[in-house]
Amino acid sequence: MNHTPSSPDEPSLFDLPLQSADETTEETGVEELQRPSRRGTRRGATRETLPLFQAESVAPESRPTVPFPLERLPQAPPAEPADWPRLARGARDRSAEEQEATEASLDGHVATVASRFKAATADGMLLVAVLALLPIGAMRLGAAVRWSDWPAYLAFVAAFSFLYSVISLAFWGQTPGMVWAGIVARSEDAEPLAFGQTARRWLGSLLTLALAGLPGLLALGGRSLADRLSGSLTLPVDSAAS
């Protein structure tokens, strides 16, 4: 039996790989992944980095152009301190003119002095009746009526007149005397009165009574003292309804 020697290029049994070609390729890929990369270790090499945010590149011709800086925009010059009195006088003159125009426009549409006096008389008689009933009620309860108790009675009537006027005007725009006289109170914009307006109107009526009715002469110009203090108008019921 002849034994022929193998050629030097022919692989022997021990030179054959024990693994398949696929396994060899997988191991080679793992080694390549585990092998540290030496890129960028050379001198002068730069490492590339990814930005967190991608900056948008704007072409120079697409950028908005401003013809002149914002601080150079034309601005109104501030008022000098010397002009402040003149401006205040102008504001007062305008307010006086507006007040005169309002009063002129109300000519013929506000309540007359006779109707105002009729309403005030009716309300006053009702308050006098309440004041007269106080000592009568005290005597019926067995209390002695002394002259020194009159300030307390007057204070009670003043508090009663406040509630009498404020509640009636705030909810209905009329007191019982105004209902009898056919007049109603409204604000300058034809709206119902607020509680603050009714309180100031009561104060104006109290001042008119304390000064013997002389401030009532202001009603000849269309608005009484109570109207001016409260910013309200006293109108006939027919005019207010229309």
Side-chain angles (χ1 to χ4, degrees), residues 34-227:
Q34 294 179 351
R35 186 180 303 168
S37 177
R38 297 182 178 277
R39 295 179 181 178
T41 57
R42 296 189 303 274
R43 182 177 299 176
T46 57
R47 181 177 298 177
E48 298 180 357
T49 58
L50 295 177
L52 294 178
F53 302 97
Q54 184 69 24
E56 296 181 359
S57 59
V58 180
E61 58 273 6
S62 64
R63 295 177 182 175
T65 58
V66 181
F68 47 84
L70 296 179
E71 59 270 9
R72 293 177 56 187
L73 290 174
Q75 299 178 358
E80 297 294 334
D83 297 337
W84 292 348
R86 180 176 57 82
L87 296 177
R89 287 194 301 271
R92 288 196 299 268
D93 294 340
R94 286 194 299 271
S95 61
E97 292 175 359
E98 293 175 357
Q99 183 71 20
E100 292 177 358
T102 302
E103 293 180 357
S105 63
L106 293 175
D107 189 14
H109 298 282
V110 295
T112 61
V113 178
S115 60
R116 294 171 188 265
F117 180 76
K118 183 178 180 180
T121 301
D123 291 332
M125 291 177 62
L126 181 59
L127 295 177
V128 170
V130 172
L131 180 61
L133 289 175
L134 288 177
I136 296 175
M139 289 187 296
R140 292 294 299 270
L141 293 175
V145 178
R146 297 184 297 269
W147 286 103
S148 59
D149 296 335
W150 282 105
Y153 294 152
L154 293 177
F156 177 83
V157 172
F160 177 80
S161 67
F162 177 80
L163 297 176
Y164 170 85
S165 177
V166 168
I167 294 177
S168 301
L169 292 173
F171 285 95
W172 300 285
Q174 296 173 295
T175 60
M178 295 173 68
V179 174
W180 183 48
I183 57 178
V184 64
R186 289 287 185 265
S187 60
E188 294 179 352
D189 53 356
E191 295 293 332
L193 298 179
F195 279 99
Q197 290 178 298
T198 58
R200 293 193 299 270
R201 190 177 177 90
W202 171 81
L203 181 61
S205 301
L206 188 63
L207 291 175
T208 303
L209 179 62
L211 296 175
L214 292 178
L217 297 176
L218 294 175
L220 296 174
R223 303 183 72 181
S224 63
L225 178 62
D227 292 332

Side-chain angles (χ1 to χ4, degrees), residues 6-17:
S6 60
S7 61
D9 296 334
E10 183 179 356
S12 62
L13 179 61
F14 298 99
D15 294 334
L16 293 177

